[in-house]
Structures are given as C-alpha cells and as structure tokens.
Amino acid sequence: MFKKVLGTKDLLPEEVRLWQSIENTGREIFALYNYREIRTPLIEEAALYNRSLGGSTEIVGKQMFLIERGEDKYALRPEGTASVVRAYLENGLDKSAGFAKLFYIGPMFRAERPQKGRLRQFHHIGCEALGSSDAGLDVEIISLADRLLSGWGVSGQEILLNSLGCRQDKQKLADSLKNSLRDKREELCPECRQRLDGNVLRILDCKNEECRRITSGMNGQNSHLCPDCAGHFNAVLSGLDAIGVKYTVSASLVRGLDYYTRTVFEISHPGLGAQSAIGAGGRYDNLIAELGGPDKGAAGFAFGLERVMLVSQAQPPAAGGLQVFVVPLGAEARAESVRILAELRGSGISAETDYEGKSIKGALRSANSLGAALVMIIGENELRGGTVLMKNMSDGTQEPVSRDKILQAVKERLNRNV
Ligand code: HAM
C-alpha cells in the first residue's frame, strides 16, 4: 500500500473542521485590520528565492524542492513573502494601490528533517504590508499577530523582538562579529564555521551551547543602529507599550532570511517543544527595490498553521447534523428516493440515503450516527398510498406525509426542531 510522502500530513474531516475555524477566524481578524487575501502559485522561478531570501540561507542552500524542466528551474515555494512581493510588482499594485495590505493562507514546502511541528509540506497564514516604512506599521503587524493568537485560543506565547537596522547597520554588525570571531573559528560548531563565511549574523542565534557562550556579548545590544534605525526601533517599542502588547527585546534575534532589515520578531510557545516558533516576521525595506520595484519599505509575518493547531484551545463549532435520511425499501422505492433526494437537496435541505444495502434497522442506525433530524421511510404501503413515513428522530414520533407535501412538511418539522 502507498504511504504519504515523508513530512506531509493527511487532514481527516475532524481536523479539517478545526483547520477551517482557524482559517475563518484568521480571515475575520485580517479584515478588521483591512488586509485582503492574495493567492499566488505554489511554484516560482527558483532564482526568486536566491535573490530574496539569499543564496547562503539554509532554506535556499538545503531545503528547496527544486523542479528542473529543460533549461528552466522552479522551486516549490518555501515561504510566501517573496511571491507576494513579486505579485505586487508584476501586477502593478505598487503603481495602482501604492500601499497594499495582503494576507495569504496556503502550503509551503521545505525539505527539512521532519519532527514534531516540523513538516516538509506545512501551511502559512501570514500577511505582508507593502509600500511603507512607518514604525506604526510594525506596531500594527505585531499587534495583529498577537490578536490572531488570542482569536485562535492560544495563550502563553512570548514575543521576542529586535532591530537589525538598515543594510549598513547589518553590515557593521556582521563586520564586528567577524572580527570578534576571527580567532575563535575552531571553537564554533561546524555550521557556524560555515556561517562565518556567509550568513555571519546567524551565528548569533545558533542553539549550540558553546557557540552561545562564545558569542554572548557580541550582539552589540543594538549599538550598531544608526540614529534613524534607533529612532525607528524606539518608536516601535513605545507604540507597542501604548497598546499593551507584551514583548521581550532580544539583541540576539536575527532570523534566517537575508531580506530582513530593522524590526524582526519571533513568537514562541512553550507547548511546541523543540520547534518552539509559532510564527515570525519583520520588516524588509530593501526587498521591493531588489526585485525591481520602487524604493519602498514593507513588513509582514507568518504563522505555521500546524503549530497553531498544536497549541490552540479553540473548539471548532459543532458540525451541523444531517437534515433528512431517506430509507427506501425495494427497487421501486429506491427510484422514488432518487427523486426525493434531488428535490430535498435542490431546496437546500441536506439529505442522504443508504448505499450499502442495509436493513431498515441498520439504515436507522446510520441516520442516527449522522445526526439526522428526520428519516423518511418509503415502503410498499407508502408507494401505493402516494406517501412517505416521516419519522422525527428527536422524539421518535412518525406519521405518513403525502408525497406532494414532503418539502413543506420537512421545512415545518426542521423549523420546529431548532
Ligand atoms: P519563517 O520563520 O521561516 O518565516 O516561518 C514562519 C513560521 O512558519 C515559523 O515560525 C513556523 O511556525 C512555521 N514553519 C516554518 N518552517 C516550518 C516547517 N518545516 N514545518 C512546520 N512549520 C514551519 C517566514 O517564512 C517569513 N516569510 C515570515 C515573514 C513574512 N516575514 C515577513 N513576512
């Protein structure tokens, strides 16, 4: 028998209910903040990610699912930000809308080693606000992220916050880090030794104890920020304070993608175990220009939906039970039941019948387990008399109903039952 691909998940109907309620709550909250949904393709040119996330990042270096067709190289999207910026520019939203607030929900793909909360196909629910460098926007997206979590019944999370500064500030921090680590290369873990020649800032949030010990005190405590970036960061912090969003500043938080500038944040949850990040985001003021657009700032974030599901206390709304279960007895009654089912469904009434040749007892059991409000039995007597036997499952009463009054009788009884 075939098995699903490593790191992927089947969502069975019960789980889909919680999933959809998380999506619906997300959509409602995004609407409160005036974000509109965008859907981009699952595949993009691989070069888009090289350009935006950075060639030396783990995602681009090791985790992309690549598809080659002739000369062309595509990647299954590992994240949403790059596609959204591409779509914003390709569809001229930078000109028509200028400032655009977009949200997305959909699958992402990364060839990571699967473990609890870490999949190869997972889902993001995220947003991007494109076309502004205003610190108020950073405050808005962080508070929106916090609001989403409370809407999903998640509590106990921690928001870690930092500012990387502009391109020059990041370079300054990277240079000083390289300098300080020059004589310590051999003491670093193998990955950080590689990072020293590429994504050097990533060394700051390496989880290895020894690397942490070596780099403690090397994060600069934001002293690398130019006056503009320091002012921006202060404005973000005081904006969050003003609306009571709790956060912890962590000067070691750098994030794994090259496009970030200034504000970065990560939200962790203790219920998630080793993969504790439930969501993350930040500002990326150079990306729009780097992908060929105007020199405009942007910011956004994404939650991992599977991780939200792991810690959500939300109860999905109870599934609405079936309205009518039709039980035909014999071939002629079955032909009649096909017509009745079509009429019921055509009038917006949910209806089902037995397709497994069950006895009347078995069919009633099916009706019961589907939560049917009414059962319609069609036997020989009913066929002869031009009626059906309508049983009300809530009180067990039953009575014949004339064939041409079925719809009316069903509607009356359903209204009475609710
Ligand atoms: P990211 O931190 O790579 O950021 O992913 C965001 C979230 O997706 C993570 O915090 C985590 O919850 C979830 N996630 C990541 N990888 C996996 C995985 N393999 N399995 C399950 N969940 C996972 C981004 O992707 C940025 N695009 C966020 C952003 C938007 N920044 C600005 N705008």
Side-chain angles (χ1 to χ4, degrees):
M1 223 191 289
F2 285 110
K3 293 257 165 56
K4 61 185 174 299
V5 171
L6 188 72
T8 64
K9 254 182 91 169
D10 296 315
L11 281 180
L12 299 180
E14 268 312 298
E15 251 180 315
V16 171
R17 264 188 336 120
L18 175 58
W19 187 278
Q20 285 178 336
S21 86
I22 287 175
E23 282 190 356
N24 293 341
T25 306
R27 288 197 162 86
E28 281 165 22
I29 296 174
F30 278 126
L32 291 178
Y33 287 72
N34 192 33
Y35 282 76
R36 298 200 304 154
E37 183 165 357
I38 183 166
R39 299 187 186 191
T40 60
L42 302 196
I43 57 172
E44 294 277 358
E45 266 184 66
L48 172 67
Y49 300 109
N50 260 297
R51 177 68 72 82
S52 53
L53 314 191
S56 63
T57 56
E58 272 172 25
I59 295 182
V60 173
K62 298 187 199 152
Q63 299 172 349
M64 289 218 292
F65 282 99
L66 295 168
I67 303 165
E68 284 189 44
R69 286 187 64 83
E71 302 276 279
D72 301 322
K73 208 164 169 187
Y74 306 104
L76 293 184
R77 62 181 190 192
E79 59 101 60
T81 311
S83 308
V84 171
V85 176
R86 183 211 34 80
Y88 170 78
L89 295 174
E90 188 172 348
N91 295 287
L93 298 184
D94 57 318
K95 300 188 184 76
S96 58
F99 180 59
K101 288 164 98 175
L102 304 165
F103 79 88
Y104 49 92
I105 304 175
M108 306 291 160
F109 304 85
R110 295 183 195 174
E112 298 197 72
R113 200 154 44 80
Q115 63 180 85
K116 182 186 167 198
R118 190 161 74 189
L119 292 154
R120 291 186 159 185
Q121 178 180 331
F122 59 99
H123 294 73
H124 268 171
I125 177 159
C127 65
E128 314 295 342
L130 306 139
S132 164
S133 301
D134 192 313
L137 188 59
D138 309 38
V139 174
E140 182 181 283
I141 63 163
I142 295 168
S143 70
L144 166 55
D146 202 46
R147 175 76 168 77
L148 282 167
L149 287 176
S150 62
W152 292 326
V154 177
S155 56
Q157 68 272 13
E158 186 183 20
I159 302 178
L160 291 180
L161 191 61
N162 191 22
S163 176
L164 299 174
C166 54
R167 192 184 275 135
Q168 291 77 5
D169 294 350
K170 278 172 74 176
Q171 193 56 51
K172 207 158 99 189
L173 183 61
D175 289 345
S176 100
L177 196 58
K178 254 190 198 158
N179 239 341
S180 314
L181 289 172
R182 189 171 296 141
D183 306 329
K184 304 204 161 55
R185 175 182 279 269
E186 297 314 311
E187 297 165 47
L188 294 170
C189 73
E191 276 178 39
C192 282
R193 261 177 256 154
Q194 273 184 9
R195 288 172 182 148
L196 208 46
D197 304 317
N199 210 347
V200 63
L201 292 182
R202 283 292 279 168
I203 298 178
L204 284 178
D205 70 358
C206 177
K207 302 284 176 279
N208 180 298
E209 285 293 318
E210 186 58 12
C211 297
R212 276 180 175 277
R213 191 190 58 74
I214 296 170
T215 57
S216 77
M218 290 186 187
N219 61 37
Q221 296 295 334
N222 299 131
S223 60
H224 66 291
L225 298 181
C226 65
D228 270 0
C229 290
H232 183 97
F233 193 39
N234 283 333
V236 174
L237 300 185
S238 50
L240 290 172
D241 292 340
I243 52 170
V245 175
K246 301 262 176 304
Y247 59 85
T248 307
V249 173
S250 165
S252 300
L253 178 70
V254 291
R255 307 273 304 125
L257 310 169
D258 279 1
Y259 53 59
Y260 288 113
T261 51
R262 293 193 163 174
T263 314
V264 284
F265 65 99
E266 197 162 282
I267 309 182
S268 62
H269 194 284
L272 288 173
Q275 300 303 312
S276 64
I278 191 168
R283 188 161 266 297
Y284 46 93
D285 285 342
N286 303 323
L287 186 57
I288 296 179
E290 253 155 44
L291 295 184
D295 187 13
K296 284 186 169 178
F301 64 79
F303 282 107
L305 242 166
E306 287 79 0
R307 295 192 189 175
V308 170
M309 301 259 289
L310 284 174
V311 292
S312 164
Q313 301 293 324
Q315 294 297 327
L322 184 74
Q323 292 175 305
V324 182
F325 195 95
V326 182
V327 184
L329 305 172
E332 210 181 320
R334 173 155 289 282
E336 180 67 350
S337 76
V338 172
R339 286 189 287 273
I340 292 179
L341 284 165
E343 282 171 34
L344 289 169
R345 291 164 176 162
S347 309
I349 296 161
S350 64
E352 180 56 298
T353 189
D354 165 51
Y355 289 107
E356 296 168 277
K358 285 185 177 156
S359 65
I360 182 159
K361 219 166 139 193
L364 283 173
R365 225 177 281 130
S366 303
N368 209 18
S369 69
L370 289 169
L374 301 170
V375 169
M376 229 180 252
I377 299 164
I378 316 166
E380 261 182 40
N381 283 346
E382 284 74 25
L383 278 178
R384 226 176 297 121
T387 60
V388 300
L389 187 63
M390 192 142 4
K391 183 176 164 83
N392 192 333
M393 297 294 274
S394 62
D395 58 13
T397 56
Q398 54 185 47
E399 57 188 321
V401 171
S402 142
R403 175 68 180 84
D404 54 358
K405 301 252 163 46
I406 286 181
L407 280 180
Q408 192 190 332
V410 166
K411 285 181 186 162
E412 277 170 15
R413 284 166 178 72
L414 289 176
N415 281 338
R416 223 182 294 145
N417 279 352
V418 288

